[in-house]
Amino acid sequence: MRRRLLGAAVAVLAVICGLAVHLGAADTAASDITGDALYVVAVWGGLVALLPRLSSWLIGAIVIAWSIGVELFQLTGLPVAWAGEWPPIVLVFGTVFDGRDLLVYAVTGVVLAVTDTSVRAAITRRRVASAAA
């Protein structure tokens, strides 16, 4: 239950931070990269909240695949067209393809997987040590 709640909290905080970057920051490479990384974190948190027992690496793979899929979907032109009809859709599907985003998604997903794996291992070690004491 803790992992599920933590995932939901991470997703909500990432969305709030992402909206702040999207609405408040100048349109720079740094804000774009930050927004992309926060998108991955939000998807990560949502998956952890929905499927808390999945391995960190499987969640990472799903998040990276989803993010890359969304980026490639932008090549169809549909996200730009949809944004003209309903601008908030940009927050989910973006607008135009940017190859740099693929790298940001992959790096962020791997960093999250490594971090999550490390934290989960530390928690397990602590529980084992407490049970043995």
Side-chain angles (χ1 to χ4, degrees):
M1 186 59 144
R2 286 183 192 163
R3 184 164 167 75
R4 188 180 301 269
L5 291 174
L6 180 62
V10 165
V12 168
L13 287 173
V15 168
I16 290 168
C17 291
L19 287 172
V21 168
H22 179 75
L23 299 173
D27 191 17
T28 64
S31 67
D32 184 49
I33 290 168
T34 301
D36 293 339
L38 287 167
Y39 180 87
V40 173
V41 173
V43 174
W44 178 280
L47 273 177
V48 168
L50 292 172
L51 304 165
R53 294 179 186 221
L54 284 185
S55 78
S56 304
W57 288 102
L58 181 55
I59 291 174
I62 293 168
V63 169
I64 292 169
W66 167 264
S67 301
I68 289 173
V70 167
E71 193 68 27
L72 294 175
F73 181 61
Q74 293 169 3
L75 291 170
T76 68
L78 289 174
V80 171
W82 294 345
E85 298 296 320
W86 194 58
I89 201 80
V90 166
L91 300 172
V92 177
F93 292 111
T95 53
V96 295
F97 177 82
D98 182 351
R100 176 188 61 206
D101 294 351
L102 301 175
L103 180 62
V104 174
Y105 298 146
V107 169
T108 305
V110 169
V111 167
L112 287 168
V114 168
T115 302
D116 193 31
T117 299
S118 299
V119 169
R120 290 174 91 177
I123 290 169
T124 300
R125 282 192 304 272
R126 192 175 306 140
R127 284 184 183 154
V128 169
S130 294

